[in-house]
């Protein structure tokens, strides 16, 4: 019941039977020895936020992981049935290898999915900085990067952008246009690799 409550509040996300991910308890930097190639990924979406709510990333990660499980990208059908307490596995490692063979690399404000077919998804949240090499500062930024064949990439991008959009509408309407405040969200589709170069140096440093 506790896990169900935490899941409904976007505080935790069950990804394997008997265990769940709580984003607020993840390490600040990648676990030593983490080895994943991020240079072959392309930026697909960039969300610029007028301000970055305190729990935005926690909520986003939970929603994305639940969406990936629903579409059987990180869970099989039999994993959706709650396991008994005696079947609870040991504390998950990082990366977390799911029952479908996909790997999840998780640390603060970063989630990376590496599937068995070679496709990758990287979602990163940034606080403050420059939007590209020649632009104005931003308060909050969400980048969605990907490497996947067309059909798989379209599915992953749809899942992620749908969760971001719904999260903004349901939890953070003050970022959107209303009678009292102008919209504080801008969405970009980058066309050059310069976006990624600045992101990679920022996100992989301690």
């Amino acid at each position: 019941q506790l896990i169900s409550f935490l899941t409904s509040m976007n505080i935790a996300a069950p990804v394997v039977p008997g265990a769940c991910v709580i984003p607020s308890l993840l390490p600040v930097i990648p676990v030593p020895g983490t080895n994943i190639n991020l240079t072959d990924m392309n930026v697909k979406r960039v969300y610029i936020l007028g301000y970055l709510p305190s729990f935005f990333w926690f909520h986003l990660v939970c929603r994305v992981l639940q969406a990936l499980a629903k579409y059987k990208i990180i869970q099989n059908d039999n994993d959706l049935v709650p396991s008994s307490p005696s079947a609870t596995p040991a504390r998950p490692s990082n990366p977390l290898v799911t029952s479908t063979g996909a790997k999840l690399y998780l640390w603060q404000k970063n989630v990376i999915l590496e599937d068995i077919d070679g496709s990758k998804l990287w979602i990163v949240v940034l606080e403050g900085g420059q939007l590209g090499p020649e632009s104005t500062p931003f308060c909050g930024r969400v980048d969605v990067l990907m490497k996947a064949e067309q059909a798989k990439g379209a599915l992953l991008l749809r899942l992620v952008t749908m969760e971001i959009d719904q999260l903004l509408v349901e939890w953070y309407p003050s970022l959107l246009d209303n009678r009292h405040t102008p919209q504080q969200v801008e969405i970009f589709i980058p066309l050059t690799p310069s976006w990624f170069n600045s992101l990679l140096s920022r996100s992989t440093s301690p």
Side-chain angles (χ1 to χ4, degrees):
Q1 291 182 344
L2 177 59
I3 291 180
S4 297
F5 173 74
L6 295 177
T7 301
S8 67
M9 297 299 294
N10 295 326
I11 297 175
V15 292
V16 294
C20 65
V21 169
I22 300 179
S24 60
L25 301 180
L26 291 172
V28 176
I29 59 176
V31 174
T34 298
N35 183 20
I36 181 171
N37 181 21
L38 301 175
T39 59
D40 58 350
M41 303 178 72
N42 297 312
V43 183
K44 296 298 184 180
R45 290 290 188 277
V46 174
Y47 289 76
I48 304 302
L49 310 179
Y51 67 91
L52 187 63
S54 299
F55 299 99
F56 180 87
W57 183 76
F58 304 147
H59 294 159
L60 176 60
V61 170
C62 289
R63 295 177 74 114
V64 169
L65 292 180
Q66 291 178 57
L68 293 174
K70 179 181 178 181
Y71 282 84
K72 302 180 180 61
I73 296 174
I74 61 174
Q75 286 187 349
N76 291 319
D77 286 329
N78 58 345
D79 295 327
L80 301 179
V81 180
S83 60
S84 63
S86 60
T88 302
R91 183 175 181 177
S93 59
N94 201 347
L96 173 64
V97 180
T98 70
S99 60
T100 62
K103 295 180 181 180
L104 285 171
Y105 298 81
L106 302 163
W107 67 94
Q108 290 292 326
K109 297 185 173 65
N110 289 266
V111 55
I112 299 172
L113 166 72
E114 186 176 29
D115 212 346
I116 57 175
D117 60 4
S119 59
K120 299 176 187 177
L121 169 67
W122 181 16
I123 306 171
V124 56
V125 174
L126 302 173
E127 292 184 75
Q130 293 292 128
L131 177 61
E134 299 177 354
S135 61
T136 57
F138 63 88
C139 292
R141 170 176 162 184
V142 182
D143 285 34
V144 181
L145 300 95
M146 199 172 300
K147 174 194 175 185
E149 52 88 18
Q150 187 172 5
K152 180 70 169 290
L155 172 62
L156 292 174
L157 186 59
R158 181 173 66 87
L159 290 179
V160 173
T161 54
M162 181 174 63
E163 293 303 328
I164 294 176
D165 293 343
Q166 291 182 350
L167 179 59
L168 290 170
V169 171
E170 296 173 10
W171 287 78
Y172 307 107
S174 60
L175 282 167
L176 304 177
D177 191 15
N178 57 49
R179 295 179 300 173
H180 306 290
T181 60
Q183 179 160 312
Q184 301 186 61
V185 177
E186 296 182 75
I187 304 174
F188 295 89
I189 303 177
L191 300 177
T192 65
S194 60
W195 295 77
F196 176 77
N197 295 332
S198 61
L199 169 65
L200 186 62
S201 62
R202 172 77 179 276
S203 302
T204 57
S205 59

